[in-house]
Each structure stands twice: as C-alpha cells, then as structure tokens.
Amino acid sequence: MNPVNYLYLAALLFTIGASGVLLRRNAIVVFMSVELMLNAANLALVAFSRLHGNLDGQIIAFFTMVVAAAEVVVGLAIIVTIFRSRHSASVDDASLMKL
Amino acid sequence: METLIGLLVAAPLLGAAVLLCGGRRLDRTGHWIGTALAAASFLLGAVLFADMLGREAEDRTLSQHVFSWIPVGGFQADVAFRLDQLSMTFVLLITGVGTLIHVYSIGYMEHDERRRRFFGYLNLFLAAMLLLVLADNYLLLYAGWEGVGLASYLLIGFWQHKPSAATAAKKAFIVNRVGDIGLSIAIMIMFTTFGTFAFSPVLESVGGTSEGTATAIGLMLLLAACGKSAQVPLQSWLGDAMEGPTPVSALIHAATMVTAGVYLIVRSGAIFDAAPAAQTAVVTVGAVTLLFGAIVGCAKDDIKKALAGSTMSQIGYMVLAAGLGPIGYAFAIMHLVTHGFFKAGLFLGAGSVMHGMNDEVDMRRYGGLRKYMPITFATFGLGYLAIIGFPGLSGFFSKDKIIEAAFAKGGTEGWILGGAALLGAAITAFYMTRVMLMTFFGEERWRNAPTPSPKEPSVEPAAETGGEYEVPHPHESPKSMTVPMIVLAFGSVFAGGLFSWGEAFVHWLEPVVPFEHGHPPVSALTVTAATVVALLIGVGAAWLQYGRKPVPALAPRGSLLTRAARRDLLQDDFNHVVLVKPGEYLTRGLVYLDHKVVDGAVNGTAAAVGGLSGRSRRIQNGYARSYAVSMLGGAAVLVAATLLMRAV
Amino acid sequence: MNGTLLAAASATSTGEAVQFWILGTVAVLGALGTVLMKRSVHSALCLAGTMIVLAVFYLANGAYFLGIVQIVVYTGAVMMLFLFVLMLVGVTAADSLKETIRGQRWMAVLCGLGFGILLVGGIGNASVGTFTGLAEANAGGNVQGLARSIFTDYVFAFEITGALLVTAAVAAMVLTHRERTERRDTQREMAEKRVREGKHLPPLPAPGVYARHNAVDIPGLLPDGTPSELTVSQTLRSRGQVRDVSRKSLSDLAALERRTEDYLGRDESAARGGPGEGGGRDVRDAADVRKDVSDDSPAADRDRDTDRDGDRDADRDREAAK
C-alpha cells in the first residue's frame, strides 16, 4: 500500500466534514464537522511529512491542533452565549444581524 | 455746454432713484419732486437749444464722453452722448411733453395711493428715453431702449391688481423682447463688420460694405423698430397697453417711446440708404401698419383703444416716410413731433373725459359731453382737427408732406404707397370723427343704466359696473389737467405751420438728416387737394353713420370686417395659432420626451439596479450555511483552477 | 513501525495496509456518523472514534508525538469541552435533519462532491510511486526532532500560538461571563415585587405524578387530569426535556387506577408495592411542551430555579426591558 492512500482518506474525511457544515443546523454539530475537517487536514499533513521524510508537516499539524484548541474554546463560548440569548443552538436562527 | 448733456439724463434718473428708494415719507411731496426734475430737464434742454441756435449750422453737434463703459481689447463701449439737431428735437419733445404730462398726472393720479411710485416710474422713463436719443453709440442706445421697455412694462402694469393690466404689461414686455433681439443682432453684426458700434464710424463706413450686410443690419433694425413702435407684425401689444393709466398712454404709447423705432430708422438712415431691400421692407411695414391701425381704430368702442389704433396708424405714416429715404426722413420726424403734440393732447383729453365719467371707457356710454367739459372739448377738438389733417393745423402740414413724398417714390411703388397713405388719411378722418361725435355730440347715453350686453363674443366688454348703476356727473377736470391740454392744443395748432415756414424744420435737421426734394408725378397742389378730398369723404361718412343717426348704446353685431377689427384684425388669434400653438406642441413634445426618454432612462436605470439588487439580495439571506456553500464552491473553483494551471 | 523502513520505498508493510483499510473504514463511518446522527451526543461520540482512529494513523505515520497529542488534546480535552457544552445546551435533544433553506441540500451535495472529486483527482494527479519515509528524520527521536524545529525554525510561530491560546482563554471568559450591572434583589424585595405584581403568590406546585414518578422532568397533573407545565423547572422546559404525560399515558394511568381500585377492594397492602405498568409514559413530545411553555412568565417560577437560572432570567428581563 502506498501512503498516498492516507491522502485519499483525508480528502474523503474533509469532504464529509464540509458537507456536515453545510447540512447540519445544530451549531455544535457544525462545529464538530469543522473539527473533522481540521483533523483531515492534519492527517494529510502527517502523511506529507512521511512522504517527504521531513518533520515540517508534523509541526504544521501541531500548530493546527493548538489553533484548533483555541478555536474550540472561543467557538463554544460563542455558542453558549448565543444559546443563552436565543435559547437555540441552530445556526439558522441566528440569521439576522440583531436579536 | 457739453457737460449739461449728461445732466439731461441725470436729472430724471435722480428723481427716479429718490422717489423709488425714498419710501413713504415722500408720499406727500413725491409728485412735486418728480415734476420739478422733469421740468429741470426741460429747462436744461431749452438752454442747450438756445445755445445750439446761437452757433453755425455745421457746428451744432455737441458730444460728451462721460466714461469708458466696457473697455475690453478691441471692444470699446463708452458712455458718450451726442447732441445734434435730431437729438435736440427729441429732447425737447420728450422733456416738454413729459413735463406737461407730469403736471397732468398730479391731478389725474391724485387719489391713487401709489402716486409717488408712479412719478418715480415716469422719471425713470424720461431718463431712459433721453439716454436712448442722446446715446452716441448703438450699445448705449440699446441700454436706453431696454430702459424704456422696462419703464413701459412697469407703467402698463401699474394697476397690477387688475389681471388684465398685469397680462398686458407682460405681453408688451415679451413682444418688445422679440424686437430687442433684432436690435442686439444688428449691433453684433455691426461689431463684427465694422469693429465698432458708435454712430459716426458705422454710418460713415456702411457704404463700403456689401449690400447683403447692410440689408441684414437694416432688417434687424426694422425688427427692433417694429417691436418698439408697434408695427406689423409686432403690433399686438399696443392696444392692450392701454390698460395703463392714461398719462402713461399719452406719454409713452403715443408721444415718445413708440416713436423710438422711427428715431432708430432715421438715425440709421445711411444703413437703409445702402440697402434698398431693407428700405422696401420698411415702407411695406409702414403702409400696412397705417391701414391696419386705421381699420382697427374704426371698430373700437373703447376710446383709448381707438386712439391706440390711431397711434399705430400714425406711426405707420412715420415709418413709411422714414423708409422713403432722404425725401422722407425729415417729414417722418416732423410728423413725429406734431403727432407727439396732438396725440398726447387727445389722450389727455380722453383721460379727462374718463376722469369725469367714473373711468368709463366705452364711447357708447358717452355722448353730448361738450356742454359739461368745454375745455376738454375744445382741446380735444383741436387735436382732432390736427390729426385728421385739417388744412392749417399741424397734422395737415406733416401728413400732407408724407403723402407727397410717398407719391414721389416714383413708379408703381409710389402710386401704391401714395394711395395707401391717402386711403389712410380718409380712414383717419372717419374714425377720429367717429370718436369725436360719439363722445361730445349726440344724446347723453350715460344717463341710462347699461342694458346687459347680449352674448356676443366679438363685442368689446364695457367697463364693469358692479350692482347699482351710478349715473356719472360729468365735470371739467382740475387746472393741473386742463393746462397741459391747452398747451398741447397750442402745439397741435401751430407746430406744423411753424415747422413748414420756409421749410424751417427740414433745414434745421439737414446737417444731420439728409434731405432731398421729392418730385411727385402729379403736382404738389394736386396731392394736397386729394388729401383734403379724402379727409372730407372720411368726415362725411362718419357724420352719416354717427352724427345723423343716434348711436346705439350697445354695439351692433356689425359686418365681418367690423368684428375682425374689433378683435384687432385677429392679430392675437394669428399669434396664438402661428406662435403660441406650435410652442405649446413643442413644449408638450419636449415634456413627453423628458418624461418618457430622459426620465425613462433614469428611472429605468434605477429600476434595473433595484431589480438586480432585489435579486442579489436573496443571496444575502443571513444563513451562515448558505455562505458556507459559497465558500466551498469558491474553494472548489480554486482547486480546479490550480489543477488546470498545473495541467497546462 | 516505520522506523525500519528504507529511505525510499514504494509500499508500506502489509500490516499497516490491513490496519489502514480496517481503521480507515471505521474513520469514514465515524465521520459519516458525525454528520448524519440525529442526536449531537451521538455525533460527538462518532467524532471521538474518528479522532482516535486518526491518532492511530498518526502513530503509523511516524508522528508519535502528534498521535499522543491527538488523543490527549482532541479526544481528551476538546471532545470533553464539546460534551460539556452539549450538556449545557440539552444533551438529549434530537435535531431534525429536514432542510429548511431552499436548494441548500442540493448545492451542498453538489459542492461537496465536486470539491471531493477535485481533491481526489488532484492527489491522483500528483501522486508519486515512491516515498521517503521518516526513518532518517526520526532518527534522533520524533519528539526531539519536533522540539528542535519548533524552538528553532518555528519559534516565532510557537510564541504567537501561545499568545493566541492565552487570548482564546481570556476571550472565552469574556464571552461567557456576565457582569451584573445592578444590585441583586434581596429575598425581601423579590417577595414584595411578587406581591406587587400579583403573580402566583404561593410556591409553585411540585413536579411529579403521584408517587410513581419521582422525577423533576414530569409535569404534575391538574385536578382535571391535564399536565401543568408550571410544575417543571424552567431550565428543563427551555431545553425541551420535559417528559410528557401524553393522552395515551393518561389513559394507561386511568386503567391502572381502575385496576388499583379493584385491587384495593381485596388487598390494601399489595397496592403500595404494585408493579409499574405505564411503560409508555416516557413518550416524549418536546415540541408540544415547548409550545405550552412559551406562555409562561419566567418570573413566576424564579424561586425554584437555581442561582444561575435566576441570573439568566434576570438577564432576559433586562433584555426584554430594552
């Protein structure tokens, strides 16, 4: 097996995650789909690292993880705040600029 | 002496400024100030006249350069005056008659609370008219020309509370504008051709230009003269201008302003001499107008409008004479002066009659007034005799010379023009006799209340009498009104004889206005005899119609010509159909174009943008997921582009 | 396991291939589950599974450090955070997968498919037969290698990322923290306010249907047999976690009562320990409950709310006043 298959898997996971972002209305699930996409990207980066025999890909993946963690913290805080004011976690309910 | 010329204009101008800016505190003394300044101007004119008489004939032209008005490169416009024999004649006429009418107005306008303003306007008119005749160049003349137009507008609309007066003022102003365009174009042509518009260089060098240029200038000047002097085809405003106070009609619309056109033609005589076609146009206009005005004058029941028709006709004589060239110029001016006397007198008489008749203007509501206002009757009667050309009075001398000169034009043209002038003389006698008989003779029709007029659109509406009919008490006017009439009557009687004594007037003018003796195909005596016969026929016909038979208090329906003449020979209808209607259609078309095309384009653009925005707004639905689809689509496109780039 | 591979190889070991195909399938199934599960808890669990699989793949690819970090940070911390928020928002609520935006599903599928196909095509286009492998790079140890790079080449990025993390922490606090802008009403003031407003002076009725249910999410029944939403806590109501005593369960209950009466006629003591037969009582109808609840005044049952719920009510009152 060629490690390129990891890349195909990453592409597949990324696409599934993107579809989840587009199809789901629950903000948390949307967020999870975003995480899925990030992970798919990480997988691709790790695979590249191996393909090229270079650790840079892993370092980028590492940074992605850190940034994703920060993103999750802020994003979930936003979801909680929106849920507090709207009593709904649906992204479609937040379709207006004001409450 | 030269410095006095500017004062001639300055005195009435000062009066106008003081009276118009002085406010109410001058209400009690304003008319005296106005009259005094007019009289001062006349006295200055008299002094200058005496001075002029004391010099040699060739040395009589005075000029005064006041200041450079518009010095721009080759364009040099100066405020400069030129006082020669022609201007002198006008100055004396304007200030003399003007002063008399100022005096008359003191009595006539006594009960008008805006009398001060009236005198201010009169002074303004005097200043502008003097500027017109004293100007040394065409541009300054143009300024005066516009000034008298303004004063005329203000005075016709003086009783602006009457819609008819306001409309008449507007009409006069607009029709005059048409003529003024002619004058301005003439000045432009002069400037491009000669590089100047001062009288002397233009008139001296006009002989050297092509006939076409001279004709163009001449025709444009004629257009200007038509507008100001109410000649066909720009005559329609004069009848309506009678809405103004009677002194205004006497001063502006009989004696002075309307003769400005004649002055312009005579002053520019050299141009017309160089352009035979323009001269033909001038005589044609004069001949047509003299018949036109006379016919209109026959049908009018409004005494002032009848006199207005007469004015038009008499100015037609002058224009005719001015168009005849050197054989007629002097007579045009002579008739102008005598006409100034007797027509002003007639108008003042008419004003006096109206003054005693509760401002009634319908002659059919007059009758037998000679017993009640003898002075008015006497002065009006002398003016009447003068205008019809009764031998020995002013009008006889001047008009007879014009008819003679018309015959002297020679050829078929001479016969036609002479015939027209002769016919005009007969009609003049007819309508003036009619006015005389209806006003001062016959039964006293004003004693009975007017019967309501039948629905006849062509009948001139009589002055409105609200509710109860109040029988007027005809009475003689106060001294301030009768004295000017008496003075003018003297002028009407003697001026003509004085001027013709050894051709004094002609020789007086000759250094400025060229003169030639005309040679009519028949002897001068025959022409005079024919004139007298025509006069007698006219008087007789009028007596048969209005003297022998009682005059109906209501105008009969009349013949087709009578009805047309009552409507000013359909001139307004003509203007309406030929000028107003196409203008209306044009504006309507433009409005339609504006609405459909211009606004359509603007609104269409707006609608297109709005529609597009409405469509594209749906993309912005606020749903984050829709936006995410766009992002993913964009990313897909980017990937595709990258791959394509690599493939290529 | 890759450490032994040569510098340039064209295939991995068979073991890794087997592992890839099995775990890859699991990962894809997990991803699909994340996207397609109705309940967000299930989604979260599926995602956690996928992440663990990915951690294994990282290890298989020689990224030992990342593999461990993936498990610790992602499946440990991040997924825990997700679950916390899920609990806060309502753990049992199921989403409707029905699409509400017109054309969204088609566009999503189209774009997703197109993007995926393009990606796969791109990879296929670019793939090379051989690969280097990490044996050399990991020679000094994977962690040491990474550390060397991070603290040399990537030190600025690393520092900035640290700042980002601090900022994120502060941001989360700012976002979720609510500053009280006015003094909180004392018990006395609240009582006086309630009297002044004349709203439901006595304590709210307790939840629960008879002694058979001792749960706070079961509304109490009114004398006419209808459930009263007032008896359930506001928090549960807004989460839609009220268990409904539906008409069927009411009829079940009536049947039970009849039987109980019959039974009571013979043996009184047995009735107390009678077996629960209202099995269908858990039938939920969240939508109905929400509809009913929306009419209630939040102030009416404030005294039964927890402190935080009280805060939330006060906030909402303030916002409504704006």
Side-chain angles (χ1 to χ4, degrees):
Chain A
M1 187 199 78
N2 193 312
V4 171
N5 285 352
Y6 286 112
L7 296 181
Y8 290 120
L9 177 65
L12 190 56
L13 291 181
F14 188 93
T15 308
I16 292 172
S19 309
V21 171
L22 302 184
L23 294 173
R24 296 301 297 260
R25 264 168 299 167
N26 188 329
I28 299 171
V29 179
V30 169
F31 218 167
M32 287 193 268
S33 303
V34 171
E35 293 301 318
L36 187 59
M37 289 160 75
L38 284 168
N39 273 288
N42 278 353
L43 179 61
L45 287 170
V46 170
F48 286 140
S49 176
R50 182 180 183 191
L51 287 173
H52 294 285
N54 191 330
L55 284 181
D56 285 350
Q58 291 187 20
I59 288 167
I60 300 296
F62 170 73
F63 282 128
T64 309
M65 279 184 192
V66 180
V67 173
E71 175 234 338
V72 164
V73 169
V74 176
L76 288 178
I78 290 173
I79 289 176
V80 168
T81 314
I82 289 178
F83 183 76
R84 264 192 200 166
S85 58
R86 291 175 197 265
H87 300 278
S88 158
S90 165
V91 288
D92 286 0
D93 286 354
S95 63
L96 298 175
M97 297 287 276
K98 60 176 188 172
L99 200 60
Chain B
M1 269 302 141
E2 284 89 345
T3 47
L4 291 181
I5 304 173
L7 289 180
L8 272 176
V9 181
L13 195 62
L14 174 75
V18 167
L19 291 176
L20 293 178
C21 305
R24 293 238 176 91
R25 70 187 80 105
L26 291 177
D27 273 355
R28 284 158 164 253
T29 54
H31 48 284
W32 293 116
I33 296 174
T35 311
L37 284 166
S41 197
F42 175 65
L43 285 178
L44 275 172
V47 168
L48 285 165
F49 180 58
D51 173 68
M52 187 177 276
L53 284 179
R55 275 178 286 151
E56 286 298 314
E58 305 306 320
D59 197 23
R60 282 175 171 165
T61 300
L62 288 179
S63 56
Q64 183 195 9
H65 180 268
V66 184
F67 58 88
S68 286
W69 183 16
I70 312 173
V72 181
F75 184 93
Q76 294 291 333
D78 294 336
V79 173
F81 297 125
R82 170 198 173 104
L83 184 69
D84 54 19
Q85 288 88 332
L86 181 60
S87 314
M88 195 70 234
T89 312
F90 270 90
V91 166
L92 289 177
L93 176 72
I94 294 160
T95 54
V97 176
T99 307
L100 288 176
I101 283 167
H102 271 76
V103 174
Y104 177 89
S105 302
I106 294 174
Y108 189 84
M109 301 297 284
E110 193 172 1
H111 304 296
D112 197 303
E113 57 184 18
R114 295 164 70 228
R115 181 164 63 165
R116 171 184 57 83
R117 188 176 289 271
F118 181 79
F119 276 86
Y121 291 159
L122 278 187
N123 272 4
L124 178 66
F125 168 77
L126 281 189
M129 190 71 202
L130 287 170
L131 185 67
L132 196 164
V133 297
L134 285 172
D136 178 54
N137 58 59
Y138 280 99
L139 198 66
L140 196 61
L141 180 145
Y142 189 57
W145 191 270
E146 294 296 321
V148 294
L150 169 69
S152 163
Y153 167 78
L154 290 170
L155 286 166
I156 295 171
F158 186 71
W159 288 323
Q160 67 221 162
H161 53 87
K162 285 197 296 185
S164 58
T167 313
K170 216 159 42 180
K171 185 176 179 183
F173 198 73
I174 291 169
V175 176
N176 266 302
R177 276 290 78 58
V178 178
D180 296 347
I181 289 172
L183 184 51
S184 61
I185 293 176
I187 294 175
M188 292 176 209
I189 299 175
M190 281 175 204
F191 183 72
T192 49
T193 314
F194 309 115
T196 178
F197 30 69
F199 286 146
S200 325
V202 168
L203 297 178
E204 277 159 19
S205 54
V206 73
T209 59
S210 70
E211 192 182 320
T213 314
T215 307
I217 298 176
L219 287 177
M220 284 299 123
L221 290 176
L222 175 63
L223 180 64
C226 284
K228 198 57 87 187
S229 296
Q231 300 295 296
V232 175
L234 297 178
Q235 81 291 4
S236 64
W237 62 274
L238 187 62
D240 291 349
M242 296 301 129
E243 288 291 341
T246 307
V248 172
S249 310
L251 176 61
I252 300 185
H253 306 125
T256 53
M257 185 190 86
V258 285
T259 60
V262 181
Y263 169 78
L264 184 67
I265 295 174
V266 173
R267 176 60 89 186
S268 316
I271 295 172
F272 287 95
D273 289 343
Q279 254 181 345
T280 311
V282 173
V283 290
T284 311
V285 164
V288 169
T289 311
L290 84 88
L291 290 175
F292 186 100
I295 292 168
V296 169
C298 292
K300 293 287 184 183
D301 288 334
D302 181 329
I303 185 168
K304 284 179 71 180
K305 292 199 172 173
L307 290 177
S310 156
T311 304
M312 214 185 280
S313 163
Q314 298 302 313
I315 297 172
Y317 273 109
M318 298 171 211
V319 171
L320 171 63
L324 292 174
I327 54 171
Y329 291 142
F331 300 125
I333 300 300
M334 187 160 112
H335 192 56
L336 192 154
V337 176
T338 56
H339 174 257
F341 283 120
F342 57 69
K343 185 50 68 63
L346 285 170
F347 263 110
L348 294 189
S352 176
V353 170
M354 286 159 58
H355 192 72
M357 292 294 290
N358 295 349
D359 286 332
E360 176 66 82
V361 292
D362 188 358
M363 290 190 292
R364 293 184 187 277
R365 311 273 331 134
Y366 293 165
L369 291 176
R370 65 181 185 282
K371 284 176 290 189
Y372 300 95
M373 17 184 104
I375 302 176
T376 305
F377 169 63
T379 54
F380 196 93
L382 287 173
Y384 154 73
L385 290 177
I387 191 174
I388 63 174
F390 193 80
L393 276 75
S394 291
F396 167 75
F397 292 106
S398 51
K399 198 188 284 182
D400 181 52
K401 290 287 182 196
I402 291 176
I403 296 170
E404 216 174 284
F407 278 114
K409 175 83 173 165
T412 326
E413 209 180 338
W415 282 104
I416 293 173
L417 294 174
L422 212 53
L423 181 60
I427 304 176
T428 305
F430 176 82
Y431 68 73
M432 282 316 297
T433 311
R434 173 175 176 269
V435 169
M436 198 66 196
L437 290 173
M438 283 173 86
T439 306
F440 292 102
F441 295 90
E443 56 178 304
E444 299 171 353
R445 294 180 297 275
W446 38 271
R447 290 203 179 277
N448 305 316
T451 44
S453 55
K455 293 284 175 240
E456 171 59 66
S458 63
V459 171
E460 283 289 319
E464 289 151 21
T465 48
E468 287 288 303
Y469 178 68
E470 192 186 333
V471 178
H473 301 285
H475 56 85
E476 192 49 85
S477 300
K479 281 242 161 44
S480 65
M481 289 167 70
T482 51
V483 169
M485 286 153 61
I486 293 167
V487 174
L488 287 171
F490 269 101
S492 313
V493 174
F494 300 113
L498 205 64
F499 291 162
S500 301
W501 192 270
E503 293 188 324
F505 192 76
V506 173
H507 292 308
W508 153 257
L509 281 180
E510 207 170 350
V512 192
V513 178
F515 177 70
E516 282 172 22
H517 274 287
H519 299 288
V522 288
S523 74
L525 205 63
T526 320
V527 174
T528 310
T531 313
V532 174
V533 170
L535 149 74
L536 289 177
I537 290 171
V539 172
W543 186 78
L544 286 177
Q545 178 78 18
Y546 299 99
R548 231 170 40 150
K549 292 186 282 185
V551 178
L554 278 175
R557 193 155 181 276
S559 68
L560 200 63
L561 181 65
T562 313
R563 274 180 284 155
R566 278 185 191 139
R567 295 182 62 120
D568 297 322
L569 288 179
L570 304 176
Q571 60 188 12
D572 285 338
D573 307 75
F574 176 81
N575 284 349
H576 192 73
V577 171
V578 174
L579 300 173
V580 179
K581 277 290 170 192
E584 276 178 3
Y585 288 132
L586 181 67
T587 44
R588 248 180 253 167
L590 286 176
V591 165
Y592 181 82
L593 208 69
D594 184 45
H595 278 190
K596 296 291 166 184
V597 178
V598 178
D599 287 5
V602 173
N603 293 342
T605 311
V609 170
L612 266 172
S613 311
R615 297 264 151 70
S616 48
R617 196 184 56 184
R618 282 186 212 156
I619 300 170
Q620 297 287 333
N621 53 10
Y623 293 116
R625 294 192 293 139
S626 298
Y627 303 157
V629 169
S630 315
M631 284 172 67
L632 188 65
V637 170
L638 282 179
V639 171
T642 313
L643 291 179
L644 273 176
M645 292 300 287
R646 283 176 61 88
V648 174
Chain C
M1 78 187 83
N2 294 318
T4 56
L5 286 174
L6 292 172
S10 59
T12 57
S13 65
T14 318
E16 194 188 343
V18 171
Q19 175 197 303
F20 175 82
W21 290 115
I22 293 173
L23 290 183
T25 315
V26 173
V28 170
L29 287 177
L32 287 174
T34 307
V35 172
L36 298 176
M37 285 291 182
K38 272 193 163 190
R39 296 200 180 186
S40 28
V41 175
H42 296 169
S43 291
L45 290 176
C46 291
L47 183 61
T50 305
M51 284 178 171
I52 290 171
V53 171
L54 288 182
V56 174
F57 283 156
Y58 291 172
L59 295 172
N61 277 309
Y64 308 120
F65 179 68
L66 279 186
I68 302 304
V69 168
Q70 168 84 359
I71 289 173
V72 173
V73 172
Y74 261 114
T75 33
V78 171
M79 288 320 294
M80 283 311 284
L81 205 54
F82 268 108
L83 285 173
F84 264 126
V85 174
L86 275 177
M87 296 302 165
L88 206 63
V89 169
V91 72
T92 52
D95 291 344
S96 160
L97 289 182
K98 197 165 178 288
E99 188 52 62
T100 47
I101 306 175
R102 198 158 59 89
Q104 170 77 9
R105 179 161 290 173
W106 289 110
M107 289 297 291
V109 168
L110 190 71
C111 286
L113 271 182
F115 188 71
I117 289 168
L118 280 168
L119 275 187
V120 170
I123 295 166
N125 203 18
S127 25
V128 283
T130 57
F131 64 99
T132 313
L134 280 169
E136 198 183 329
N138 275 347
N142 177 248
V143 178
Q144 284 86 343
L146 281 181
R148 193 174 297 117
S149 278
I150 285 174
F151 290 108
T152 54
D153 296 343
Y154 294 95
V155 67
F156 285 114
F158 183 71
E159 293 295 338
I160 291 168
T161 318
L164 179 71
L165 272 177
V166 175
T167 313
V170 174
M173 281 195 285
V174 168
L175 277 170
T176 48
H177 179 70
R178 291 293 180 93
E179 191 80 37
R180 276 199 81 84
T181 54
E182 57 204 8
R183 186 177 62 83
R184 183 168 187 172
D185 290 351
T186 61
Q187 287 281 325
R188 182 165 195 83
E189 281 166 345
M190 287 205 291
E192 280 167 359
K193 192 178 169 197
R194 277 176 67 172
V195 172
R196 207 163 45 239
E197 289 172 353
K199 276 186 198 163
H200 212 291
L201 284 178
L204 291 170
V209 185
Y210 301 111
R212 309 191 61 203
H213 285 279
N214 200 11
V216 290
D217 59 347
I218 299 285
L221 291 183
L222 292 175
D224 60 351
T226 53
S228 165
E229 298 298 337
L230 271 183
T231 59
V232 183
S233 160
Q234 161 113 29
T235 311
L236 294 177
R237 268 189 265 147
S238 62
R239 281 185 194 161
Q241 286 178 328
V242 179
R243 280 205 273 171
D244 181 30
V245 186
S246 67
R247 208 160 287 140
K248 182 171 183 305
S249 41
L250 281 176
S251 60
D252 287 350
L253 200 64
L256 179 71
E257 279 171 357
R258 242 180 289 116
R259 269 182 281 136
T260 312
E261 273 169 19
D262 294 344
Y263 184 73
L264 275 177
R266 289 196 301 275
D267 184 357
E268 201 171 333
S269 64
R272 235 174 273 136
E277 289 189 27
R281 228 167 273 154
D282 279 359
V283 175
R284 304 173 46 84
D285 197 344
D288 279 357
V289 172
R290 272 192 199 163
K291 216 184 297 165
D292 295 337
V293 165
S294 59
D295 296 329
D296 284 334
S297 156
D301 42 6
R302 174 176 296 162
D303 58 342
R304 253 202 6 234
D305 289 347
T306 61
D307 273 3
R308 213 181 48 187
D309 287 334
D311 277 358
R312 189 196 294 163
D313 288 333
D315 290 344
R316 204 186 315 152
D317 286 353
R318 273 203 297 279
E319 279 157 17
K322 281 181 212 160

